[in-house]
Amino acid sequence: MLLEIKNLTKRFGGLTAVSKVDLSVRQGEVRGIIGPNGSGKSTLFNLISGVYRPDPGASIAFDGKDITNLEAHEIARRGVARTFQLLRIFSGMSVIENLLIGHHGHIRYGAASAVVGSRRAWAEERRVRQEMMELLSFIGLADYADMPAGEMSGGQQRLLALGRAMAARPKLLLLDEPAAGLSPINVDVLLDTVLALKNRFGLTVIIIEHILKVVMETCEAVSVLDHGEKIAEGSPAQIRDDRLVIEAYLGKEMKDEEVRAFLRSA
Amino acid sequence: MTADIVKNTEQRAGGGASPSRRGSVHPIVPWIVAWACLLPLPFLLTNAYTQYVVNVICINVILAVGLNIVKGFAGQVTVGHMALAAIGAYSSAVLSTKLGLPFWGAMPAAMLVTGLAGAIVGVPSFRLEGAYLALATLGLAEAVRIIISGTDWLGASLGYAGIPPPYLAGIALDDYRSYYYLAMPLALLGLYFAFSILSSDIGRALKALREDPLAAAASGVNVRKYKVTAFVLSALYAGCAGSLQAHMAPGFIHPNSYTITEMITLLLMVVFGGIGHIWGGVIGAIAVTLIDDLTRDYLQYRMVMFGAVIVLTVMFMPSGIGGLIDDVLVRRRFKAIRRRRAGVASVVAADDV
């Protein structure tokens, strides 16, 4: 198992955002996480990536090592990259600088080299810029390398956020609603890019998504959260027919046939 | 004259926004050219007062570039920069008079002390942001000034006199003309280091802190380490500038040179010149020092004027003069892309025919 979460709980005052969640993700898997708004999906990501500390008693193991109480930057350096629901790209920096920050943990030259502007620092800068330009071409933004990231369109910014996460050369990629707000065509473009990146770099991916099409078509397995608890897990086909999931998403009043029709059409 | 230098070096440094390092000329070369061009300046200025103003400009350039690192690049709002300069000035003064250290020992030691103080000023930034951080640093800064004003062995409110001038190859740099040959190369060196640092991975990490600390951490940037780095770097600049102030003729420093008024003047340099733009800091330092000097007959209205300029700059030119320069460069790049795309499109169209 690449990621092994046990008994993960997070309380904010009286609210239990995530409650006793266990989650195991295999190397190379694409896992979907779904659930209604406020079900704790983003909190789960924030706990895995170190933005929040889990409540005592939890354990998160990544790649065989415990990362439960590490700080966000340490977790990132071990190979967990993520995107944010609200993107959080560095809008005042250029597109390529965004990627270079993603690559930060891999840039090797000392502070002294940087201060005096040594040839070594230069050579390294030139090398990583080259590398990032290749990644930019891969996601189709090479033309915009020197543009301020904030001047890109919404769709391009989503691609850039994905690129920044990929620049870290992660083993595990956490995507928080990567397709939110995209037009259907762009959703396809983004999904193709994610799958291409996954195959090329042998990634493991966890996707939070509300667009069911994305989850059903891309993910090998789906976990469902509701009120911070994991209520179901299985293949997309199994989840599609799960009574609890349907209730969580659509309420208890709907008839089964209506629900199935809705899910199939999605 | 300075404008020429700015132009020469800007081509190499790429205007500060995203310095690209191409070509085979070592990046230090344009700086040496700049140094050579600036050498005859004091001999073009016959009067000692103008020579003094030029030295003050050099010192203010160092101060403004240092403040820009922490405020403009790392985005940490501090108003403690002049207090750090005061710590640099007084450390250098004490080390050279009480311990008899020569300038060349006192200045690095004073920078070290200021660097440590900078790390302390940086600690509140772990938890505070924006206006709150500004208030915390203001408190620290005022504390420094008041402690100096009340400490007898630091000259208290009478000021600290008798600081010896630096000696270079046995010659005392005790007039403004000779002091220029210390202040100007140090200002250029400080600028060169600032460019190297800010175009490196360290500089990018600082900018990422300014843009979004959470996203920076998720990208593997150690946020606390880089916050302290920013404060210490800027403190080293302040320490160097303070030491230069202390040892310049007549070798006298006074706590009143480090009040909030001076801090606002310094802020004006950075804001007017362009936050997050190194050349902006230089332009601002030159412009504000000159304006400050030309309007010295109207001293009582100075703060009104500076306040108005800060407000107007923030309203109508939020990224300062440096930002205007950046805008022009960015727009030109946009046009280049559009032209390239249009070119491709027309080739495709021609193929279709």
Side-chain angles (χ1 to χ4, degrees), chain B residues 1 5 19 27 45 67 81 103 106 118 167 183-184 243 260 265 330 353:
Chain B
M1 151 144 261
I5 305 306
L45 307 166
L67 180 61
H81 203 64
F103 171 80
Y167 286 83
M184 182 272 285
S243 181
I260 189 71
T265 313
V330 165
V353 174

Side-chain angles (χ1 to χ4, degrees), chain A residues 51 72-73 76-77 80 82 84 88 90-94 97 100-102 104-105 107 109 111 114-117 119 121-122 125-126 129 143-144 146-148 151 164, chain B residues 12 17 19 21 23-27 192-193 196-197 199-202 204-205 207-208 210-212 214-222 226 330 333-334 337 340-341:
Chain A
V51 174
H73 66 91
R77 291 202 169 201
V80 180
R82 66 168 294 178
F84 293 88
R88 290 176 171 268
F90 305 121
S91 51
M93 296 165 75
S94 70
E97 278 181 312
L100 284 162
I101 284 293
H104 177 76
I107 297 178
Y109 51 83
V115 171
V116 299
R119 285 202 179 271
W122 272 33
E125 272 291 300
R126 211 172 301 134
R129 267 174 197 268
D143 268 354
Y144 299 92
D146 291 324
M147 288 295 135
E151 301 195 8
R164 183 178 67 186
Chain B
R12 279 289 320 157
R21 295 161 149 188
S24 54
V25 187
H26 195 278
Y192 170 72
F193 285 154
S196 303
I197 295 167
S199 58
S200 76
D201 189 45
I202 298 176
R204 268 196 307 271
K207 279 200 266 179
R210 173 190 71 191
E211 296 287 322
D212 192 326
L214 184 58
S219 303
V221 175
N222 185 341
Y226 280 99
V330 165
R333 277 195 219 127
F334 254 134
I337 285 182
R340 207 184 317 144
R341 295 228 149 153

Side-chain angles (χ1 to χ4, degrees), chain B residues 65-92:
Chain B
V65 169
L67 180 61
N68 217 345
I69 290 177
V70 71
K71 189 176 182 327
F73 284 85
Q76 306 300 309
V77 188
T78 168
V79 283
H81 203 64
M82 279 318 278
L84 290 172
I87 291 174
Y90 276 86
S91 312
S92 199

Side-chain angles (χ1 to χ4, degrees), chain B residues 36-47:
Chain B
C37 293
L38 283 170
L39 273 183
L41 187 58
F43 290 93
L44 303 174
L45 307 166
T46 44
N47 127 14

Side-chain angles (χ1 to χ4, degrees), chain B residues 188-250:
Chain B
L188 282 182
L189 202 64
L191 267 175
Y192 170 72
F193 285 154
F195 270 113
S196 303
I197 295 167
L198 294 172
S199 58
S200 76
D201 189 45
I202 298 176
R204 268 196 307 271
L206 296 183
K207 279 200 266 179
L209 287 193
R210 173 190 71 191
E211 296 287 322
D212 192 326
L214 184 58
S219 303
V221 175
N222 185 341
V223 171
R224 288 184 178 187
K225 180 179 127 188
Y226 280 99
K227 275 186 178 170
V228 172
T229 305
F231 275 97
V232 169
L233 275 175
S234 85
L236 291 176
Y237 278 84
C240 174
S243 181
L244 281 175
Q245 287 171 333
H247 292 272
M248 183 162 67

Side-chain angles (χ1 to χ4, degrees), chain A residues 128-254:
Chain A
V128 291
R129 267 174 197 268
Q130 190 80 41
E131 229 176 274
M132 291 304 109
M133 278 309 289
E134 281 164 26
L135 182 55
L136 268 187
S137 316
F138 197 85
I139 59 174
L141 293 177
D143 268 354
Y144 299 92
D146 291 324
M147 288 295 135
E151 301 195 8
M152 317 248 86
S153 73
Q156 288 171 326
Q157 291 191 0
R158 291 216 163 255
L159 280 173
L160 177 59
L162 180 64
R164 183 178 67 186
M166 283 308 303
R169 301 263 179 269
K171 295 180 193 140
L172 173 65
L173 180 61
L174 310 174
L175 300 174
D176 196 346
E177 296 202 27
L182 290 182
S183 67
I185 294 170
N186 282 329
V187 170
D188 288 341
V189 170
L190 190 102
L191 284 183
D192 289 345
T193 313
V194 169
L195 289 177
L197 286 169
K198 175 205 176 256
N199 293 331
R200 183 168 165 180
F201 297 105
L203 275 176
T204 307
V205 186
I206 306 181
I207 304 181
I208 291 179
E209 192 50 79
H210 274 302
I211 303 177
L212 288 171
K213 174 181 183 273
V214 173
V215 181
M216 297 303 170
E217 286 181 6
T218 335
C219 301
E220 294 151 24
V222 181
S223 306
V224 188
L225 292 184
D226 187 31
H227 293 106
E229 287 175 46
K230 192 170 83 176
I231 56 166
E233 193 165 75
S235 71
Q238 287 169 324
I239 291 301
R240 200 182 276 241
D241 290 330
D242 191 296
R243 176 98 225 161
L244 281 170
V245 178
I246 293 164
E247 283 179 3
Y249 253 93
L250 301 165
K252 290 176 184 169
E253 270 70 53
M254 245 171 139

